[in-house]
Amino acid sequence: MNKKIKMIMILGILCLIVRNGAAQTCSVNAGVPASVCVSADSFVLSGNASGALATAPAWRFVSGPNTPVITDSTSSTTSVKGFIAGTYVFRYGAMCSDASEVADSVRITIEALPVFTAGADTFVCGSVIRMRATLPPGSSGTWAAPSSVIISSPASPSSTFSAMGTPGSCPYSFDAVWTVTQGGCTATDTVNIGYGGERTELFTPIADETICGTAYTSPATYYYGCGGTMNVTQLSGPVTTSQTYLPEPSTSYYSRFEINGMVVGT
């Protein structure tokens, strides 16, 4: 290729560049990509335009897992509602005064809420419990509980809780909250822990008694622990009686039982 032909080609390209540059008398910008949690009510598109415009810039939905609602497509800043998890593309476009069209697109990622559990509500006999929460891959979690509870590893789904109650506080329960963050989404789940005192089967023996009448109420019987019940079983007798458990409302460590329907005999 000789120098004359090369020069003609270069001049042609320069002319094309100048012509195209002159054609765009305006410009638009759709903003930067963003991530939003699906739990949000809406997200906001924010664009801008400059130069000589023949038409007002407008937003248009391009693609996504469903068709959301653009509140005001002719506003540079507008909210979008009715979305689900997935990736969306929106276009912000206008026509310049010389009839050329300009447009810019932005990608919005809608993140799904993390799927997890804090575990099932539990009644504990003893002062220590190991939690059984779940933690999705790529996420982080943290426990929150009353200040009296000692959390061994707040960020661990299987952390142990201790010092959950003190004598005199039974029956006692508290809520433990497991908060998980995954990407731009944060969610919580709550588990209720019931505290039943130390594990023991010790209680005060009841002496044999001779009574007049068909009903009997035991003296207040001490047992160490709370949250459980006392079972009374008839082993023998001339008739079958009924038994009722009577927890003392004023204390966590005493209870009574009542026997009804007795006749003369042992």
Side-chain angles (χ1 to χ4, degrees), residues 94-131:
M95 181 173 289
C96 300
S97 59
D98 61 356
S100 63
E101 293 184 2
V102 289
D104 188 29
S105 296
V106 64
R107 184 183 301 270
I108 307 294
T109 302
I110 307 299
E111 298 186 39
L113 285 169
V115 178
F116 65 97
T117 177
D121 293 347
T122 306
F123 185 86
V124 183
C125 220
S127 59
V128 178
I129 181 175
R130 181 171 294 279
M131 307 306 291

Side-chain angles (χ1 to χ4, degrees), residues 199-262:
R199 184 185 298 274
T200 181
E201 296 178 356
L202 297 177
F203 61 90
T204 305
I206 300 172
D208 294 343
E209 292 191 47
T210 299
I211 66 167
C212 288
T214 60
Y216 166 76
T217 300
S218 75
T221 303
Y222 176 85
Y223 65 98
Y224 190 71
C226 64
T229 61
M230 177 181 291
N231 295 317
V232 182
T233 302
Q234 178 179 332
L235 300 181
S236 63
V239 295
T240 300
T241 62
S242 63
Q243 299 87 36
T244 305
Y245 171 64
L246 301 172
E248 289 286 293
S250 61
T251 176
S252 303
Y253 297 98
Y254 289 88
S255 67
R256 301 174 186 268
F257 64 89
E258 184 177 80
I259 300 174
N260 288 283
M262 293 187 292

Side-chain angles (χ1 to χ4, degrees), residues 53-99:
L53 297 168
T55 61
W59 288 101
R60 181 171 66 85
F61 169 69
V62 177
S63 63
N66 75 326
T67 303
V69 177
I70 300 175
T71 304
D72 184 358
S73 62
T74 60
S75 174
S76 60
T77 301
T78 182
S79 62
V80 180
K81 299 182 178 181
F83 47 85
I84 61 175
T87 301
Y88 294 79
V89 176
F90 296 89
R91 179 181 180 273
Y92 192 53
M95 181 173 289
C96 300
S97 59
D98 61 356

